[in-house]
Amino acid sequence: MIEERFDAIVVGAGMAGNAAALTMAKRGLKVLQIERGEYPGSKNVQGAILYADMLEKLVPDFREDAPLERHLVEQRFWMMDGKSHTGLHHRSEDFNEEKPNRYTIIRAQFDKWLSSKAQEAGAIVLCETTVKELVQDAYGKVIGVITDREGGQVHADVVVLAEGVNGLLGTKAELRERPTPENVALAVKEMHFLPRETIEARFNLKGDEGVVIEAAGTISAGMTGMGFIYTNKESISIGIGCLVSDFQKTGETPYGLLERFKKHPSVAPLIEGSEVKEYAGHLIPEGGYNAIPQLYGDGWVVVGDAAQLNNAMHREGSNLAMTSGRIAAEAIFQVKSRKDPMTKENLALYKKMLDDSFVIKDLKKYKDMPDLLHIRSQNFFLTYPQLVNKALQNFVRVDGTPKIEKEKTTIKSFVSARSWGGLFGDAFRFARAWR
């Protein structure tokens, strides 16, 4: 195993880990990044959304060679029942700008590319290596890691934990608690391959334009969760995710939900005739601000999904991961530049810088939303989608029934399904959590 001492060891080569390794290496620090996969991104077969502003801070000219799929010109939101969906969508020619704001990507390709940038900057990336535990001195300070390689102990001034939402290093060392099932979602995804021209015809696209569809409603069987469809150049990423605690409680299966989602009348025509080549499951932090663990300590910081940094309300994760990795690296560099030790007191700079960023400000704004959606999941993900779709169908159906009778029928369905107090109570709670 490597015997030299490093300024920093980064555990994990996802979005957050790559951002941290790249930022520190560019600033001249001696960085070792350890990844258990065959190569960075090898465990991430799913598609994702990339936010340009955050990546530009790491690689300003990324558009020249990054493996991008499509730039997004349209966002659709669907509220679904068993046979219908009521939609809201926004499409703008403004998104066909010189430097688009959002892209779809395939993580296996993108993570490998971003890691290559860290290596070009001087980081040493060690793959097919598992970090078994953290090394701590007699006072509890983290001073390195132990890997599964022969003579696998490596030392560093600081360890960056970018091991994902279910990483065990921090919990094993009693630095943080393991996330609870109520704060983690399990998402399953498939990659459906189709000719490029077929995708563009079905989604009304041209060139490298792309569409994202996010869906909620009866597709999650009353559980807190959402479905999604991303357009890539020659494939469609489709998936659905719900809280692990809901899966435990209901006995529903992720693949069962995905199969029903794919067969929905609004979805099936979009993927008809496709070839499925990849299927994967992925854990996603969903607890929001209230679930964020201790982010730093003597000789360590935690970033990305491992830090529960995911904005479930806006379905944003990659931008928070990259930003937290970059900010952690900048804080470490500042401490190192002052020749100060990597103590808990000095690494508190990371938390202060993160608090001043959009990451914590956005999560704090919606801190009550995860609990509300979980507690009232039957209402928000089952009852209300059914009522809305029934009301809209009643509104557009012309069958000779007087409009006043239709309005009375719609009002009656809302009243019979849920008391007005419950309906308005939920509306008030949602508005208060959103404010």
Side-chain angles (χ1 to χ4, degrees):
M1 193 62 188
I2 301 173
E3 295 184 2
E4 62 182 301
R5 183 181 181 86
F6 292 86
D7 294 319
I9 294 173
V10 180
V11 181
M15 292 280 200
N18 284 333
L22 173 58
T23 302
M24 289 187 289
K26 287 172 67 174
R27 284 158 175 71
L29 299 188
K30 186 186 295 185
V31 179
L32 173 65
Q33 186 175 19
I34 303 176
E35 164 61 33
R36 61 186 174 89
E38 182 182 355
Y39 57 86
S42 63
K43 307 189 305 298
N44 293 319
V45 301
Q46 73 267 22
I49 297 177
L50 173 74
Y51 303 87
D53 180 73
M54 292 73 199
L55 183 56
E56 283 177 333
K57 290 180 172 61
L58 297 168
V59 186
D61 58 351
F62 76 89
R63 293 179 180 85
E64 294 181 5
D65 62 347
L68 307 173
E69 290 293 309
R70 293 181 178 273
H71 69 274
L72 297 175
V73 298
E74 184 174 334
Q75 179 91 32
R76 304 179 192 175
F77 301 96
W78 287 355
M79 182 178 289
M80 307 179 78
D81 67 9
K83 295 182 179 179
S84 317
H85 81 262
T86 298
L88 169 70
H89 77 264
H90 177 71
R91 183 182 181 118
S92 176
E93 187 64 23
D94 288 343
F95 293 128
N96 280 316
E97 52 203 333
E98 182 181 355
K99 294 183 176 182
N101 177 252
R102 298 189 303 160
Y103 298 86
T104 55
I105 59 171
I106 296 173
R107 284 288 303 274
Q109 300 170 7
F110 181 83
D111 289 3
K112 188 175 183 179
W113 170 83
L114 188 55
S115 176
S116 73
K117 296 299 179 182
Q119 294 175 64
E120 290 172 9
I124 297 174
V125 179
L126 191 62
C127 296
E128 297 183 282
T129 304
T130 299
V131 176
K132 297 166 62 177
E133 60 184 286
L134 300 174
V135 180
Q136 296 173 279
D137 65 16
Y139 302 99
K141 181 181 180 181
V142 174
I143 57 174
V145 301
I146 297 176
T147 74
D148 60 354
R149 296 201 174 201
E150 185 177 352
Q153 190 165 139
V154 192
H155 294 96
D157 294 336
V158 63
V159 174
V160 179
L161 296 173
E163 53 180 341
V165 64
N166 202 36
L168 299 177
L169 287 177
T171 54
K172 187 175 181 180
E174 298 183 349
L175 304 179
R176 62 187 180 96
E177 295 182 359
R178 188 171 185 174
T180 64
E182 292 77 18
N183 290 329
V184 178
L186 173 59
V188 289
K189 310 179 183 184
E190 289 180 349
M191 296 288 283
H192 288 247
F193 286 80
L194 285 166
R196 179 176 183 137
E197 57 271 18
T198 301
I199 293 174
E200 291 167 4
R202 291 182 181 178
F203 289 88
N204 189 27
L205 303 171
K206 63 180 185 294
D208 287 334
E209 292 177 340
V211 170
V212 165
I213 300 173
E214 294 175 323
T218 61
I219 55 170
S220 64
M223 300 184 292
T224 304
M226 293 190 71
F228 51 87
I229 300 172
Y230 303 154
T231 56
N232 305 311
K233 288 179 179 178
E234 296 182 336
S235 66
I236 295 172
S237 302
I238 181 170
I240 190 168
C242 295
L243 291 178
V244 171
S245 58
D246 283 346
F247 283 125
Q248 292 175 331
K249 181 170 60 177
T250 64
E252 291 279 356
T253 61
Y255 59 84
L257 293 184
L258 180 57
E259 286 301 310
R260 292 201 294 271
F261 183 43
K262 292 190 301 179
K263 293 176 181 177
H264 192 282
S266 298
V267 176
L270 299 177
I271 58 175
E272 182 180 0
S274 63
E275 181 182 2
V276 182
K277 293 185 178 181
E278 296 172 350
Y279 174 91
H282 180 60
L283 291 173
I284 303 171
E286 293 285 337
Y289 180 81
N290 295 328
I292 296 175
Q294 177 68 26
L295 296 176
Y296 61 94
D298 286 328
W300 63 275
V301 297
V302 60
V303 297
D305 283 2
Q308 286 276 330
L309 300 178
N310 179 62
N311 188 333
M313 280 307 303
H314 289 267
R315 284 78 56 204
E316 295 177 11
S318 65
N319 55 337
L320 278 70
M322 287 189 291
T323 300
S324 65
R326 175 181 59 81
I327 288 177
E330 290 175 349
I332 289 169
F333 175 72
Q334 288 190 37
V335 174
K336 187 75 174 178
S337 298
R338 297 196 299 260
K339 301 187 185 306
D340 289 334
M342 297 294 171
T343 61
K344 181 177 181 179
E345 181 181 8
N346 290 329
L347 289 173
L349 175 63
Y350 162 50
K351 177 64 164 55
K352 180 181 183 304
M353 293 170 66
L354 199 64
D355 285 345
D356 291 337
S357 74
F358 78 92
V359 173
I360 298 300
K361 290 179 180 178
D362 285 354
L363 290 176
K364 192 171 184 177
K365 174 178 171 60
Y366 303 114
K367 64 184 178 67
D368 296 326
M369 192 64 76
D371 287 342
L372 172 63
L373 295 180
H374 187 201
I375 294 171
R376 314 289 288 186
S377 62
Q378 287 285 320
N379 294 355
F380 287 113
F381 296 95
L382 194 62
T383 302
Y384 299 151
Q386 290 173 326
L387 291 176
V388 168
N389 278 283
K390 185 176 181 179
L392 265 294
Q393 184 177 139
N394 194 38
F395 177 79
V396 299
R397 185 184 292 275
V398 178
D399 55 8
T401 304
K403 298 297 186 285
I404 186 65
E405 292 185 20
K406 286 178 172 286
E407 292 170 2
K408 288 179 179 178
T409 299
T410 297
I411 293 173
K412 184 178 179 181
S413 67
F414 273 84
V415 172
S416 62
R418 178 145 313 272
S419 71
W420 282 109
L423 178 63
F424 285 117
D426 282 344
F428 174 76
R429 295 184 192 96
F430 189 88
R432 185 172 58 183
W434 185 268
R435 73 187 190 281

